[in-house]
Amino acid sequence: MTRILITSALPYINGAKHLGNLVGSMLPADVYARYMRARGHNVLYICATDEHGTPAELAAREAGQTVEEYCAEQHAIQKEIGAGFNLSFDHFGRSSGPENARLTQHFAARLEANGFIDERTDKQVYSIEDQRFLPDRYVEGTCPHCGYDKARGDQCDNCGRLLDPTDLKEPYSSISGSKNLELKETKHLYLLLEKMQDPVTAWFEAKTDFPALTQAITRKWLKEGLRDRSITRDLYWGVKVLKDGAPRAGFENKVFYVWFDAPIAYIAATEAWAGEAPEGEMRDWRSWWRLDEGAQDVRYVQFMGKDNVAFHTVTFPGAILGSEEPWKTVDALKTLNWLNWYGGKFSTSQKRGIFMDRALDLLPADYWRWYLMANAPESDDVSFTFEHFSSVVNKDLADVLGNFVNRITRFCVSKFGAETPSDGAYGTAEADLVKDLENRISAYTAALEAMEFRKAFAELRGIWVVGNEYLQVAAPWTAFKTDPSAAAASVRAGLNLVVLFAILSRPVIPASAAKILAAFDLSNDDVPAWPETGGSLLTLLKGGESFNPPDVLFKKIDDEQLAKWRIEFGAPEIDGENAG
RNA sequence: GGCGGGGUAGCUCAGUUGGUGAGAGCGCAGGAUUCAUAACCCUGAGGUCGGGAGUUCAAAUCUCCCCCCCGCUACCA
């Protein structure tokens, strides 16, 4: 048994997350966590809302709430939606919690004591009307290169050139539209990453489990040379900057930069998890994070979208190494690409695409979980369309899996009654079936171990298909007329397949798997956590077990529904008639 | 602009230490079947592997040039 620590990138607090966010980190992490638990490992899956920063303050203002109220409310919403998707977090915390403030301040103090932090003075755009400093992208104006009049201070969306806010002509605040801006001096703490080049490089080179994309991105940063980076901001909402336990002189109205405290929240949320231990349960968060307190045997796996690799492989490790304390760092990383909305982008700010809360209004979580994982954007961006989604759901879930369960249970009831038939013995057909299944299960297992999710679920689907193929060949409906006991054995094998499919499918469609098991009056504890090979795959039900054929497991999505959703969500037209 | 990733069948994607006729699922066509959610099962058609040039006995795979999409580019998170 290994202890496996899993974190998924922290979802930002400003509203429900869309399907791209879900499949980019939280869902694959959940599937992996469920699989590893099934293999008997001691898994701790930690996530939290990422609450600090300018967008949270602005979103709160727009909602007419204080930022504290806004975040508390949004956190509760995200937590509830996560539960709706059956995301099996051991703890879903908040980066704004007291543990994170303490830990962030602790890391900053250690870094400063070790000579990795400096105070420096910058000049930055200040909006007099908004009474705040503006991050580069909140300054807009006319691009000096192409004349586009809505260029942002960091980059022009029209010509793609990188900009400095002071390059813009006719600059204005994108928050209020005010042109009453000035360049004002402000003091910030800098993390001296330049001095950390060698330790970070050495740390990275020792990592063997990083996928190619992650390595490429990290190498690029290291190759160009790390640059010192400011880790404070002129904001109200964030972790306060202290010096020797008191507000730091000159930093009374500043907080740590959200990207400094957010990764630390992985640790802080673990501490919060321990703090919520039910009576009688011991939870030692430090044994998961401190190499000197038991974490040397922990395997730490992170899940994230491709956009924030560098924060996890360069700046966060830099902060940890710079503390010169024995903290656990990441062992393996799973990086995902984007899910697109009809070839374009899902957008939180423009409310384009499908968001987690709305998705659950349309269909139960398992429909989405299966589609997203079986089509996960692993090697490249993937385009979501309702057409593709419905074809996957109808075919894989309804026709291949759901119909299998339905056909064998209903046939059994009509010919043998609602209990597993005991007659007849397994023959060569069943022996071949078991052999085939064992090979396929081993391929499925290997893919899950490697976090190759598309491959894994193509294998799982193949296993479901094998069930249908077996029934086709065994044809108990024909055999029943001449050799009822042979038919009984086939039906028993078929019913065992149903249970096997449920066990194997639990990581990805846990609710449906539980529904199948419940039809056989089985709970998770009554069946092996993971199938045991060695020829025993079809022997769990021995005959005489009663069951209730489950209702239709997965309803198909019909054309009428599809058309309605297309309109409701403003789906673009697509070319061709049978796309998907 | 720089760096990285990607471009393979109508759709969504596998496939690179160069090598027997380029794969899967969906969609499409035909067949078989009737236990089942008009489901399942079998067979088949369909691709000059983004474009061009080159290296090689041999290129989806290696080299060079070009086009398109995505990410990063250190103050969005």
Side-chain angles (χ1 to χ4, degrees):
Chain A
M1 184 179 84
T2 310
R3 291 202 299 154
I4 303 177
L5 175 63
I6 299 172
T7 61
S8 49
L10 308 187
Y12 198 66
I13 193 69
N14 60 343
K17 300 296 98 180
H18 54 62
L19 295 181
N21 299 131
L22 177 62
V23 74
S25 61
M26 293 179 280
L27 182 56
D30 176 68
V31 169
Y32 187 69
R34 286 173 179 275
Y35 167 71
M36 284 301 178
R37 290 190 194 108
R39 299 315 304 269
H41 299 302
N42 184 3
V43 168
L44 187 63
Y45 176 21
I46 297 291
C47 195
T49 37
D50 176 14
E51 305 191 1
H52 294 143
T54 308
E57 288 192 358
L58 297 179
R61 200 170 74 176
E62 195 175 329
Q65 292 173 302
T66 66
V67 68
E68 287 86 351
E69 287 167 351
Y70 174 81
C71 287
E73 192 174 298
Q74 292 299 317
H75 170 80
I77 290 171
Q78 290 207 26
K79 188 170 179 176
E80 190 187 335
I81 300 172
F85 269 92
N86 275 311
L87 300 176
S88 60
F89 305 121
D90 289 292
H91 187 73
F92 186 71
R94 305 181 60 183
S95 70
S96 63
E99 300 87 359
N100 196 38
R102 280 198 302 271
L103 273 165
T104 299
Q105 287 155 354
H106 168 80
F107 273 101
R110 291 289 309 178
L111 286 162
E112 184 158 26
N114 294 333
F116 291 117
I117 283 185
D118 244 8
E119 275 188 25
R120 293 181 188 173
T121 299
D122 292 331
K123 278 189 178 171
Q124 200 176 345
V125 177
Y126 183 83
S127 167
I128 292 159
E129 195 155 311
D130 297 306
Q131 296 187 334
R132 66 193 305 148
F133 282 95
L134 298 177
D136 289 0
R137 67 164 40 201
Y138 287 91
V139 185
E140 291 183 359
T142 302
C143 175
H145 304 286
C146 73
Y148 180 61
D149 64 356
K150 287 199 171 68
R152 292 193 320 263
D154 56 345
Q155 183 163 25
C156 173
D157 276 340
N158 187 51
C159 68
R161 267 185 252 239
L162 296 183
L163 302 173
D164 192 89
T166 53
D167 296 339
L168 293 172
K169 295 176 179 159
E170 307 275 320
Y172 59 90
S173 158
S174 75
I175 298 168
S176 61
S178 167
K179 293 185 175 177
N180 196 3
L181 308 177
E182 63 177 348
L183 215 51
K184 202 167 153 181
E185 287 202 336
T186 178
K187 204 158 43 166
H188 283 302
L189 296 185
Y190 270 72
L191 181 62
L192 305 186
L193 284 166
E194 215 172 295
K195 290 168 80 173
M196 295 177 181
Q197 174 88 26
D198 290 342
V200 171
T201 304
W203 172 85
F204 170 71
E205 294 301 337
K207 296 295 170 185
T208 50
D209 272 353
F210 287 7
L213 180 60
T214 303
Q215 290 193 27
I217 293 172
T218 308
R219 284 228 167 74
K220 185 220 160 196
W221 275 59
L222 294 172
K223 193 177 151 197
E224 291 184 354
L226 300 187
R227 306 213 294 265
D228 300 341
R229 187 168 185 146
S230 78
I231 55 165
T232 52
R233 293 290 183 275
D234 289 283
L235 281 178
Y236 160 73
W237 183 231
V239 175
K240 304 297 176 210
V241 184
L242 305 183
K243 174 91 176 171
D244 302 326
R248 187 182 184 110
F251 286 78
E252 294 84 355
N253 297 314
K254 299 172 197 284
V255 295
F256 282 103
Y257 175 41
V258 56
W259 258 114
F260 185 70
D261 80 73
I264 295 171
Y266 293 140
I267 306 174
T270 313
E271 184 181 351
W273 160 80
E276 291 179 7
E279 222 178 287
E281 186 183 330
M282 280 294 294
R283 290 179 179 176
D284 179 8
W285 69 271
R286 297 176 72 90
S287 79
W288 288 91
W289 282 101
R290 288 288 295 222
L291 298 170
D292 56 339
E293 296 180 47
Q296 65 281 352
D297 70 339
V298 170
R299 178 171 167 79
Y300 178 20
V301 186
Q302 294 179 341
F303 290 79
M304 73 198 70
K306 61 182 171 183
D307 58 328
N308 53 56
V309 170
F311 291 103
H312 288 81
T313 62
V314 177
T315 55
F316 182 44
I320 286 186
L321 295 175
S323 77
E324 294 175 5
E325 292 179 331
W327 294 96
K328 179 73 194 165
T329 58
V330 63
D331 294 304
L333 256 117
K334 177 70 179 180
T335 311
L336 288 104
N337 290 277
W338 300 138
L339 186 72
N340 285 324
W341 169 246
Y342 285 83
K345 287 183 184 172
F346 275 88
S347 167
T348 303
S349 56
Q350 294 175 48
K351 311 235 184 296
R352 183 170 58 240
I354 304 177
F355 292 78
M356 287 172 68
D357 51 342
R358 294 288 291 118
L360 290 177
D361 293 341
L362 303 187
L363 289 169
D366 280 356
Y367 290 67
W368 302 103
R369 290 178 60 107
W370 172 260
Y371 168 82
L372 291 170
M373 292 310 296
N375 298 283
E378 292 186 292
S379 60
D380 200 357
D381 295 350
V382 162
S383 188
F384 175 94
T385 64
F386 274 122
E387 289 74 9
H388 188 223
F389 172 68
S390 72
S391 118
V392 166
V393 163
N394 290 351
K395 202 66 201 173
D396 297 355
L397 293 181
D399 292 348
V400 178
L401 175 61
N403 180 54
F404 177 79
V405 174
N406 192 45
R407 69 192 290 204
I408 187 63
T409 52
R410 289 192 56 174
F411 179 74
C412 182
V413 168
S414 77
K415 297 293 191 266
F416 299 99
E419 71 176 44
T420 323
S422 321
D423 278 358
Y426 290 160
T428 53
E430 289 72 27
D432 291 348
L433 173 63
V434 167
K435 211 172 153 189
D436 188 12
L437 286 170
E438 288 189 343
N439 288 334
R440 288 172 182 275
I441 289 169
S442 127
Y444 173 48
T445 303
L448 285 173
E449 290 285 339
M451 298 189 276
E452 291 174 12
F453 296 109
R454 289 182 82 109
K455 190 174 174 192
F457 296 117
E459 293 288 351
L460 179 57
R461 185 189 192 281
I463 289 168
W464 298 341
V465 168
V466 164
N468 283 305
E469 286 170 355
Y470 168 76
L471 276 194
Q472 207 65 27
V473 173
W477 45 90
T478 305
F480 184 76
K481 295 168 190 160
T482 56
D483 187 351
S485 88
S490 300
V491 169
R492 191 166 67 252
L495 294 172
N496 270 290
L497 285 173
V498 171
V499 174
L500 177 67
F501 293 172
I503 295 170
L504 289 169
S505 306
R506 278 188 297 199
V508 61
I509 46 173
S512 306
K515 209 159 140 189
I516 293 173
L517 291 178
F520 287 84
D521 203 24
L522 296 168
S523 75
N524 278 334
D525 298 334
D526 298 325
V527 298
W530 200 249
E532 289 154 29
T533 50
S536 63
L537 290 178
L538 302 179
T539 57
L540 189 89
L541 301 174
K542 301 186 186 318
E545 297 88 354
S546 62
F547 63 87
N548 297 301
D551 294 334
V552 165
L553 275 177
F554 302 101
K555 275 188 70 176
K556 290 202 195 192
I557 299 164
D558 60 35
D559 290 346
E560 201 180 323
Q561 246 176 338
L562 196 67
K564 198 180 133 211
W565 292 344
R566 282 189 53 90
I567 293 166
E568 201 177 326
F569 287 83
E573 290 301 318
I574 54 172
D575 298 330
E577 296 171 9
N578 40 10

